[in-house]
Amino acid sequence: MARQGILGSIAKLVLGALDSAARTKKASDPARPSHRPQPPARPSRGAPDGSARPGAPDAIVTVEVRPEDVHDLRLSYAPRRDGDPDAGEIVWTWVPYAENDGRGKDRPVLILARHGADRFYAVKLTSKPHDGEREYVSIGSGSWDSAGRESWVDLDQLYSVHTAGMRREADALDAERYARVAAVLQQRYGWAAGR
């Protein structure tokens, strides 16, 4: 009887050890998903300022530029319906949010001027009303907004947009509306009118 008690105790110990070993193996098995809560994913950091278009190579990411730091920008109206971005055209591209935390969204931007071989300076458009606010200029409506809403140019945020990051040409502003935006930008930042 005592022998059976000892054997039963040994069997319990062995089974307990085997069960513990099996649980440890399951927890460390890389093929099995962990059921522990994972920390939230960090936003992608594609550009030095922290902005990134998900899945886009760093070199073609749209980045925000401080307008005060840009001195060589020449504003000139030169739209051509050739599939390439030109000053005066509105194109759709991914634009980072002001928080520069890796998030952003596709939106229309007004191309202002060339910025190197493959990049352009641009300002974003918004359909949120900004009557009487000096940071915005109304440009009316156009085919870039399928709902036909009035659009506003945000004068405080300047972007460097890569040609490969532009989704499509949406429309071109007429010369008068472009000149109105250019005049405000020239006065505000001292940029020159181009030819």
Side-chain angles (χ1 to χ4, degrees):
M1 200 69 149
R3 189 174 188 188
Q4 284 180 338
I6 291 174
L7 288 176
S9 295
I10 291 173
K12 283 182 183 177
L13 286 172
V14 169
L15 288 173
L18 288 173
D19 185 47
S20 176
R23 281 195 306 263
T24 302
K25 183 177 184 330
K26 282 182 186 177
S28 65
D29 187 354
R32 296 180 62 88
S34 171
H35 295 290
R36 281 183 245 141
Q38 298 297 313
R42 290 178 50 134
S44 173
R45 301 286 185 192
D49 66 349
S51 62
R53 179 178 177 180
D58 294 355
I60 68 166
V61 171
T62 297
V63 292
E64 188 173 351
V65 180
R66 283 176 33 96
E68 300 83 6
D69 295 341
V70 176
H71 305 290
D72 59 347
L73 196 152
R74 296 188 69 79
L75 297 159
S76 60
Y77 181 74
R80 289 184 300 279
R81 290 300 247 174
D82 55 5
D84 294 325
D86 303 298
E89 292 180 350
I90 294 173
V91 300
W92 280 80
T93 188
W94 183 88
V95 175
Y97 291 145
E99 294 82 6
N100 282 325
D101 60 2
R103 297 175 303 141
K105 70 175 186 176
D106 274 345
R107 65 185 315 145
V109 297
L110 171 62
I111 302 296
L112 298 176
R114 185 169 283 282
H115 176 209
D118 298 320
R119 287 189 166 270
F120 290 84
Y121 287 119
V123 286
K124 71 180 180 183
L125 274 56
T126 179
S127 58
K128 183 179 174 186
H130 289 280
D131 281 319
E133 295 181 43
R134 71 177 289 277
E135 294 83 21
Y136 295 88
V137 172
S138 171
I139 57 169
S141 61
S143 63
W144 58 85
D145 186 285
S146 59
R149 296 171 294 187
E150 180 178 11
S151 292
W152 301 81
V153 173
D154 183 341
L155 304 172
D156 278 349
Q157 293 180 298
L158 180 67
Y159 298 93
S160 175
V161 183
H162 195 281
T163 54
M166 295 185 205
R167 207 157 38 89
R168 65 180 172 88
E169 283 180 295
D171 203 351
L173 282 185
D174 56 73
E176 186 275 324
R177 287 191 285 181
Y178 180 83
R180 192 162 16 104
V181 172
V184 176
L185 290 169
Q186 286 170 326
Q187 183 179 22
R188 191 174 183 120
Y189 300 113
W191 296 334
R195 288 185 293 213

